[in-house]
Amino acid sequence: MQNLEGKVAIVTGGGSGIGRATSLLFAQQGARVVVADISLENAQATVAQIAEFCGEAIAVKVDVRSDADCQRMVEQTLERFGQLDIAFNNAGIGGYPHLTADYGVENWQRVIDINLTGVFNCMVHELKAMEAGGKGGAIVNTASIMGLKGTISGSAYCASKHGVIGLTKASALEAGRHGIRINAVCPGYIETPMTTTGDDLVADKLIQAELRRAAIRRMAKPQEVAELVAWLSSDKASFVSGSAYTVDGGVTAG
């Protein structure tokens, strides 16, 4: 189904994982996509996959910690496609598995800068473009189930994702008068480089313990999160704003 026909979408962190899956799904549903990532090579690889089924996309190198990068990303979108209808602010990192007292201010600041300030930097320029366009829009931010609860050795990550949910709700109240909807998705444990390429035995044991208590006892595929993002970005979700949706197989149900 071409639910996003005629739309233009930005996806940050589009070079892998949930971002790549969402970029592909957006294009399959008819959107023209700006694939933004700190790795231009990874972004270009996503664009190449989109081109395989004749979708239209461009790759942009973006470090979301940089306000100038985020501004340039939106400017390039408008220069190439003339509009911005959808933004999926998904770029993020997993943080460092240390207790709060041992975390260190540099590690803390890096997680907050990427996961929370990065979303803010993107939204500032996306909102201005959507407001100027006068046709509304949809923004989806990637939070986490750790934005809804706590976890040992994850204070910075939890704080950043709680912040994304707060930012989403506050901004949704502001943007509604412009016809812009803003929501967040809260993934659980997804098969992405963030969860499958580390060597942290403690974190792996915690994940496996949580999955044993879940309703659906497995990790999700990135595509399963992308489907929710695409729905929230489409006109089918026209009365949905200011919400945070879990997609976690029931991890947080118990």
Side-chain angles (χ1 to χ4, degrees):
M1 296 179 63
Q2 298 290 299
N3 293 336
L4 303 179
E5 187 70 38
K7 305 289 188 181
V8 173
I10 288 174
V11 178
T12 68
S16 65
I18 294 169
R20 173 171 287 176
T22 303
S23 296
L24 292 168
L25 185 57
F26 278 175
Q28 289 164 355
Q29 293 193 359
R32 292 169 289 173
V33 185
V34 176
V35 182
D37 200 280
I38 196 166
S39 167
L40 182 59
E41 182 179 359
N42 288 349
Q44 290 170 334
T46 301
V47 169
Q49 290 185 29
I50 290 172
E52 290 177 4
F53 54 84
C54 299
E56 187 174 357
I58 61 171
V60 177
K61 180 178 174 61
V62 173
D63 182 341
V64 296
R65 293 173 293 183
S66 166
D67 177 71
D69 271 19
C70 295
Q71 180 178 0
R72 184 167 58 252
M73 172 184 71
V74 172
E75 289 174 348
Q76 287 181 277
T77 301
L78 297 177
E79 289 170 3
R80 176 63 182 267
F81 297 121
Q83 64 193 67
L84 175 62
D85 307 289
I86 298 164
F88 180 35
N89 298 314
N90 167 72
I93 60 172
Y96 307 90
H98 295 299
L99 297 176
T100 301
D102 302 322
Y103 209 87
V105 69
E106 290 184 4
N107 289 341
W108 166 274
Q109 197 63 57
R110 183 168 188 264
V111 175
I112 297 298
D113 284 349
I114 295 173
N115 289 0
L116 179 54
T117 306
V119 173
F120 170 80
N121 287 339
C122 291
M123 286 183 65
V124 166
H125 300 289
E126 292 159 356
L127 285 166
K128 289 177 179 178
M130 289 179 179
E131 291 171 10
K135 296 181 179 179
I139 295 175
V140 181
N141 299 321
T142 296
S144 168
I145 58 171
M146 298 309 169
L148 303 169
K149 65 191 193 87
T151 188
I152 294 171
S153 297
S155 56
Y157 187 78
C158 289
S160 70
K161 295 303 186 178
H162 275 76
V164 168
I165 293 174
L167 174 61
T168 296
K169 290 179 177 291
S171 300
L173 292 172
E174 300 168 353
R177 61 195 176 96
H178 297 288
I180 301 168
R181 298 181 298 102
I182 307 175
N183 293 285
V185 290
C186 299
Y189 300 107
I190 317 298
E191 292 181 7
T192 69
M194 190 180 293
T195 57
T196 60
T197 60
D199 57 359
D200 183 356
L201 185 60
V202 174
D204 183 64
K205 286 183 176 179
L206 288 172
I207 290 172
Q208 294 307 317
E210 292 232 300
L211 290 177
R212 284 193 293 272
R213 294 193 297 268
I216 302 174
R217 297 181 180 183
R218 63 172 175 83
M219 285 192 181
K221 302 291 186 183
Q223 175 76 15
E224 294 176 291
V225 182
E227 293 285 353
L228 176 57
V229 176
W231 179 76
L232 288 170
S233 301
S234 76
D235 293 338
K236 292 182 179 294
S238 58
F239 200 59
V240 180
S241 193
S243 295
Y245 283 80
T246 55
V247 52
D248 68 350
V251 167
T252 55

